[in-house]
Amino acid sequence: MSGVEISARGLASADSRFRERALARRRRPWRRVLWTVLAVLVVSAGVWLTFWSPVFAVRSIQVAGVTGADRTAVASLVGVDRGTPLALVDLDDVEERVRSRRTIAEVSVERGWPGTLRVSVVARQPALVLKNPQGQLEVVDATGVSYDTVASPPAGIPVVSAASTKGTTKEALEAALSVIQTLPTDLTQRVTAIQVSTANLVSFNLAGIRVVWGGADQAERKLEILRALLPTKPGTIDVSAPDTPVTR
């Protein structure tokens, strides 16, 4: 084979590769356009499915943490219609509406894809029952919130009487709670007639002895002094100022 033939074939091969590269360059912009169009279509389809289609709409509302009347009340407070796109539900608004029910202490709302709205609540638990000046029995939780009125106190829940005709403040309730939360079982079983006048004046009867507890401050110190003075069996023990206790 002559050198001329080899050279001709080389030129032909180079020309073919050149044409292929040129064709590839011409196709490249069209491929980019095609991929861009496909990406837009995919995103548009996802947006439509999420915000407008019934595929990801609210089909059920689950309420966990309470039963009976509380569960029914919470479900009605959710305020989200079936068919509402799940992505458009304002979870903070739902939580605020549910939290407006005083028997509910905590609320958490989340989306359960594809079509469930999950509402988890924690109900308030009774810590004491306050007998107000009008004779009503108000149920109070451990944070001092009065959240219900009952005809009779729940079993095992102490009853506290309000001395003031003007009602009882949250601070006064917290002072009464400090007594209940501080006294051990061997003493609480002997406690009767708990009375709250102000945030700084809580008193109760303990096995026939009147105890002036005072406010919620220095609760452990007050308990220590109370135990030390109980064997003397006075008529009254005043530990409202624990550094200077008084017996009468």
Side-chain angles (χ1 to χ4, degrees):
M1 181 180 296
S2 68
V4 174
E5 291 176 340
I6 294 174
S7 177
R9 289 184 180 180
L11 288 172
S13 176
D15 184 60
S16 176
R17 289 195 297 272
F18 177 79
R19 286 196 300 269
E20 289 176 0
R21 285 197 293 270
L23 182 60
R25 283 195 297 270
R26 287 194 296 270
R27 289 174 177 168
R28 198 171 298 150
W30 289 105
R31 287 177 179 172
R32 292 198 188 100
V33 171
L34 178 60
W35 283 112
T36 301
V37 171
L38 288 174
V40 170
L41 288 175
V42 169
V43 171
S44 299
V47 170
W48 180 80
L49 283 171
T50 303
F51 293 98
W52 287 286
S53 82
V55 175
F56 295 123
V58 175
R59 291 189 293 275
S60 64
I61 298 173
Q62 294 179 353
V63 177
V66 288
T67 58
D70 264 343
R71 187 179 188 282
T72 301
V74 168
S76 66
L77 287 170
V78 170
V80 176
D81 295 330
R82 265 70 169 180
T84 302
L86 197 56
L88 296 181
V89 175
D90 190 322
L91 303 186
D92 291 338
D93 279 355
V94 175
E95 288 184 1
E96 185 176 352
R97 286 194 293 272
V98 173
R99 198 175 285 112
S100 67
R101 183 170 176 80
R102 290 185 65 81
T103 57
I104 302 302
E106 299 176 20
V107 186
S108 175
V109 182
E110 61 181 15
R111 299 177 180 89
W113 301 99
T116 302
L117 190 64
R118 298 194 180 104
V119 182
S120 300
V121 299
V122 176
R124 297 187 187 278
Q125 299 300 316
L128 62 83
V129 171
L130 175 69
K131 186 176 183 180
N132 63 31
Q134 292 73 42
Q136 297 173 316
L137 299 177
E138 301 177 25
V139 185
V140 179
D141 74 354
T143 66
V145 174
S146 173
Y147 65 92
D148 198 7
T149 302
V150 295
S152 58
I157 303 302
V159 178
V160 176
S161 297
S164 174
T165 57
K166 297 179 180 180
T168 305
T169 64
K170 184 178 179 181
E171 291 75 19
L173 288 176
E174 289 172 350
L177 283 166
S178 77
V179 174
I180 296 166
Q181 294 166 349
T182 301
L183 295 182
T185 304
D186 65 309
L187 293 184
T188 55
Q189 291 175 343
R190 300 156 62 192
V191 169
T192 58
I194 304 175
Q195 188 176 63
V196 56
S197 300
T198 67
N200 297 314
L201 184 54
V202 178
S203 60
F204 55 90
N205 289 342
L206 176 59
I209 299 173
R210 182 172 182 265
V211 177
V212 180
W213 185 262
D217 60 308
Q218 303 185 68
E220 294 298 330
R221 175 70 174 148
K222 291 176 181 178
L223 173 61
E224 180 184 357
I225 295 170
L226 177 62
R227 278 195 179 280
L229 295 176
L230 279 175
T232 65
K233 299 185 183 300
T236 299
I237 297 176
D238 187 339
V239 293
S240 58
D243 293 334
T244 55
V246 176
T247 60
R248 293 188 288 275

